[in-house]
Amino acid sequence: MGVVLVGAQWGDEGKGKMTDFLAAQADIVVRYQGGANAGHTIVISGVEHKLNLIPSGILAGKMSVIAHGMMVDPRLLIDELERMEAAGCNASLLRISDAAHLIMPYHKILDVEEERLRGVNSLGTTGRGIGPASRDKAARWGIRVSDLLRPESFVEKVHVQLRRVNPLLEKIYGVDPLDPEAISREYLEYSEHLRPHVCDTILLLNRSMEQGASVLFEGAQGTMLDLDMGTYPYVTSSNPTSGGVCTGTGVPPTRLSQVIGIAKAYTTRVGDGPFPTELQDHTGDLLRQRGNEYGTATGRPRRCGWLDSVVLRHSVRVNGLDGICLTKIDVLSGMEKIKVADSYACNDAVIDEFPLDQGAFADCHPEYIELAGWDEDISRVRRFADLPGAVRNYVRTVGELAGAPVTHLSVGPGREQTLELEPILRLR
Ligand code: IMP
């Protein structure tokens, strides 16, 4: 069976932690989109592990698959693999799709230069080359992992790409051209490190599932950063939503059994773009400080605000969420009142669904309901029934407003700080 975990907001919802929690029940953990723009933090026995490319399942000793929907930066991947080995993980569990696209040095340069060109309309990208590499993939210029394993054709492809890209770098962006020989030498060295892990992951996953394997699909980024479903153009260049699993792995929708959304008990966003419930005041600062809201991939401070149930309803709908895992609820402890947006005032109208027109979305102002806060430290509570009444009320209200039950609650960063409210998630 296949269970999908997706971010229900703008990313950084704590997906790595939930993947790690559920990986214990899975045979295989798969990432299906994105690249090193993602950052997943997992705390095990007080030790923090940060992953950008490798699925969090590696920490649970599970086969971990980088599927063809991902964009692979080989240098970063090798560094990460070495870090994981040093932390005691079994590196031989990693599988990399031969059809995954490579991030090339010019993708990262173009990412930065294009942001500069956008000026005040910049997207706030992570600078990891994701947009330019995805564009090359769609334009049929991409270089894939399988190319890296065939040195002659790889070198030729790099030469062809630089005939096209170097004039852009020099004439449009005023930066130095790149040397195809130097890039080829560098990348072919990486190929020897990666070769033992490369295989046809479409076959691997489908055959394993035919034989009864349970597979956990780990989304990166979040629904509102989806190229098609999110706050375009302030989005990433892939499909983090559940549909992305099928195109990004070759596993058909008929093999997927459940989709769980991960949502923070408040909202954060890194990068630019509309964010109706953003708090640019003391409360926003408090959330950032208490929630340690700084990006894993780039270290940037995250924008913080109240939970937005308009966003969650959109997420429930487009992902087909069976349940929601609400994370970091402990961060809200000590707030006298807690607000949740249940609709928007938007150009003289009140709307309670996410508007497709992004111009309208930018003009939306949240309408809030206010709930009682709580003072208790809840980080040691392990049963829902033992939580203060105000916490239980908050959790129930979020589920009702979102239109999907809260099935898991995270009260702290540790593996043991996850409460299972409804045992709907079963990988076995
Ligand atoms: P890109 O994916 O680097 O092209 O960045 C596009 C947008 O997505 C920017 O606003 C980034 O800040 C945001 N973004 C990309 N990856 C993540 C992530 O893992 N968490 C949160 N935001 C992200």
Side-chain angles (χ1 to χ4, degrees):
M1 68 185 295
V3 169
V4 184
L5 291 184
V6 294
Q9 296 157 319
W10 276 282
D12 308 317
E13 299 93 348
K15 293 179 291 294
K17 183 194 161 177
M18 263 322 275
T19 311
D20 176 63
F21 178 76
L22 290 169
Q25 298 172 39
D27 298 304
I28 306 178
V29 182
V30 186
R31 266 200 55 195
Y32 55 94
Q33 47 72 231
N37 50 348
H40 291 168
T41 307
I42 298 115
V43 180
I44 302 171
S45 311
V47 181
E48 199 174 76
H49 302 272
K50 288 182 189 293
L51 292 163
N52 296 117
L53 286 158
I54 301 176
S56 311
I58 197 97
L59 292 163
K62 299 301 164 103
M63 182 185 284
S64 297
V65 175
I66 289 180
H68 65 258
M70 282 190 73
M71 297 284 161
V72 176
D73 184 324
R75 173 76 266 158
L76 294 180
L77 178 56
I78 292 165
D79 288 350
E80 197 170 307
L81 197 57
E82 283 172 357
R83 272 205 322 275
M84 286 299 106
E85 273 189 294
C89 294
N90 179 357
S92 73
L93 294 169
L94 179 69
R95 301 286 182 281
I96 305 167
S97 166
D98 52 359
H101 281 247
L102 293 173
I103 298 279
M104 302 297 291
Y106 45 85
H107 292 137
K108 291 190 268 194
I109 298 173
L110 286 170
D111 196 352
V112 173
E113 293 303 326
E114 287 171 12
E115 279 284 90
R116 228 194 294 278
L117 185 71
R118 286 178 197 265
V120 290
N121 296 319
S122 68
L123 309 175
T125 71
T126 59
R128 299 285 164 97
I130 300 297
S134 307
R135 178 171 68 216
D136 278 358
K137 174 179 176 177
R140 281 79 45 92
W141 289 123
I143 303 182
R144 306 203 288 185
V145 169
S146 55
D147 295 316
L148 195 55
L149 304 186
R150 283 193 302 271
E152 261 178 46
S153 81
F154 180 77
V155 174
E156 193 195 320
K157 286 188 183 203
V158 173
H159 276 267
V160 170
Q161 287 312 303
L162 286 184
R163 275 205 291 279
R164 182 179 68 85
V165 172
N166 270 342
L168 265 180
L169 294 180
E170 280 186 279
K171 297 196 176 107
I172 308 282
Y173 298 109
V175 297
D176 290 341
L178 296 175
D179 174 10
E181 292 300 329
I183 293 180
S184 301
R185 266 197 309 278
E186 180 192 339
Y187 271 59
L188 290 175
E189 221 172 276
Y190 300 150
S191 73
E192 292 319 307
H193 291 271
L194 300 181
R195 191 184 291 276
H197 304 277
V198 178
C199 66
D200 178 341
T201 57
I202 298 182
L203 264 186
L204 169 77
L205 290 172
N206 279 287
R207 284 198 176 142
S208 303
M209 291 181 93
E210 264 159 37
Q211 287 160 13
S214 45
V215 181
L216 189 60
F217 297 91
E218 174 185 16
Q221 290 84 44
T223 301
M224 302 306 274
L225 289 172
D226 186 285
L227 183 60
D228 295 284
M229 317 287 178
T231 47
Y232 189 90
Y234 297 97
V235 291
T236 190
S237 295
S238 68
N239 291 114
T241 47
S242 54
V245 170
C246 302
T247 50
T249 65
V251 171
T254 43
R255 283 200 198 281
L256 304 179
S257 25
Q258 273 175 332
V259 186
I260 300 297
I262 318 296
K264 224 176 255 185
Y266 47 98
T267 311
T268 62
R269 169 165 208 174
V270 280
D272 298 302
F275 176 2
T277 61
E278 181 171 15
L279 295 167
Q280 285 171 316
D281 60 7
H282 172 67
T283 310
D285 293 342
L286 205 64
L287 288 171
R288 184 174 310 106
Q289 181 207 328
R290 285 195 191 159
N292 191 24
E293 296 296 352
Y294 297 89
T296 310
T298 58
R300 289 180 291 176
R302 296 175 184 144
R303 299 155 68 193
C304 297
W306 296 120
L307 191 75
D308 186 339
S309 72
V310 180
V311 162
L312 290 189
R313 280 195 288 281
H314 177 66
S315 240
V316 168
R317 183 173 303 120
V318 300
N319 290 298
L321 297 187
D322 295 298
I324 293 174
C325 167
L326 205 59
T327 61
K328 287 189 133 175
I329 192 152
D330 52 306
V331 172
L332 296 179
S333 295
M335 302 245 172
E336 202 187 327
K337 296 272 176 211
I338 301 173
K339 293 182 181 181
V340 181
D342 71 339
S343 59
Y344 300 142
C346 198
N347 298 329
D348 298 332
V350 174
I351 55 170
D352 54 13
E353 298 298 347
F354 173 69
L356 284 179
D357 172 3
Q358 291 303 297
F361 188 60
D363 288 331
C364 284
H365 302 284
E367 306 257 319
Y368 289 113
I369 60 167
E370 211 173 71
L371 300 163
W374 58 89
D375 277 329
E376 295 88 333
D377 173 4
I378 57 172
S379 61
R380 287 189 184 80
V381 178
R382 296 292 175 266
R383 292 187 329 153
F384 187 66
D386 296 339
L387 287 165
V391 182
R392 285 183 277 132
N393 183 45
Y394 185 73
V395 172
R396 282 196 207 99
T397 307
V398 171
E400 278 163 24
L401 289 173
V406 175
T407 54
H408 294 75
L409 196 61
S410 167
V411 296
R415 235 182 208 175
E416 66 294 348
Q417 289 172 299
T418 303
L419 284 60
E420 197 170 21
L421 313 191
E422 289 194 29
I424 71 156
L425 254 186
R426 285 288 167 256
L427 276 150
R428 295 202 179 280

